[in-house]
């Protein structure tokens, strides 16, 4: 399976939805479309929506890939995306974190090529 298949695309966007949902939950006061909602419970609805879309995309990815490969790949995508999104929200990026992200990318490659 190549890196440009529907399975990888759906896993990538599933992870992106999960990462966006996490950012909404963490930084809801910095996001214009959530910060205006005064009810704390209602402010979480966009995050739940993104998690739901991510779940659907993950299930699409599972059609073409075994769960033992799909889940680590999807989570790895989410880790990298959250590091990037977190940086834009002022979170610190250390050399250790960057090295860890590199190991994640190497792990994705190893999981995908080992059969």
């Amino acid at each position: 399976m190549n890196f440009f298949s529907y399975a990888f695309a759906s896993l990538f966007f599933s992870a992106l939805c999960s990462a966006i949902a996490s950012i909404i939950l963490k930084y809801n006061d910095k996001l214009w479309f959530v910060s205006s909602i005064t009810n704390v419970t209602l402010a979480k609805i966009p995050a739940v929506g993104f998690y739901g879309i991510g779940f659907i995309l993950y299930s699409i990815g599972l059609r073409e890939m075994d769960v033992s490969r799909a889940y680590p790949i999807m989570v790895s995508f989410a880790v990298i995306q959250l590091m990037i999104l977190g940086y834009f929200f002022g979170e610190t990026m250390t050399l250790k974190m960057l090295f860890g992200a590199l190991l994640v990318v190497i792990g994705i490659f190893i999981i995908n090529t080992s059969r």
Side-chain angles (χ1 to χ4, degrees):
M1 178 171 301
N2 67 45
F3 280 104
F4 301 104
S5 69
Y6 287 111
F8 273 97
S10 63
L11 292 174
F12 176 84
F13 287 109
S14 171
L16 184 60
C17 287
S18 178
I20 291 171
S22 295
I23 292 297
I24 290 171
L25 292 174
K26 174 72 177 169
Y27 297 109
N28 59 5
D29 58 327
K30 296 181 180 181
L31 299 168
W32 63 270
F33 62 93
V34 183
S35 63
S36 60
I37 302 172
T38 55
N39 185 313
V40 177
T41 305
L42 289 178
K44 293 180 183 328
I45 289 176
V48 172
F50 275 103
Y51 279 129
I53 293 168
F55 178 79
I56 291 167
L57 291 169
Y58 177 66
S59 66
I60 291 169
L62 286 177
R63 291 181 187 169
E64 293 184 31
M65 189 180 290
D66 294 336
V67 71
S68 61
R69 292 178 62 215
Y71 192 77
I73 291 169
M74 190 265 307
V75 170
S76 299
F77 283 149
V79 167
I80 294 167
Q81 292 165 349
L82 279 168
M83 286 178 64
I84 294 167
L85 289 170
Y87 178 78
F88 286 112
F89 281 90
E91 293 185 5
T92 350
M93 188 79 59
T94 65
L95 190 57
K96 187 188 280 187
M97 291 172 71
L98 292 172
F99 181 69
L102 176 63
L103 290 176
V104 166
V105 171
I106 292 169
I108 291 172
F109 180 77
I110 290 170
I111 287 172
N112 188 49
T113 57
S114 63
R115 271 243 170 204

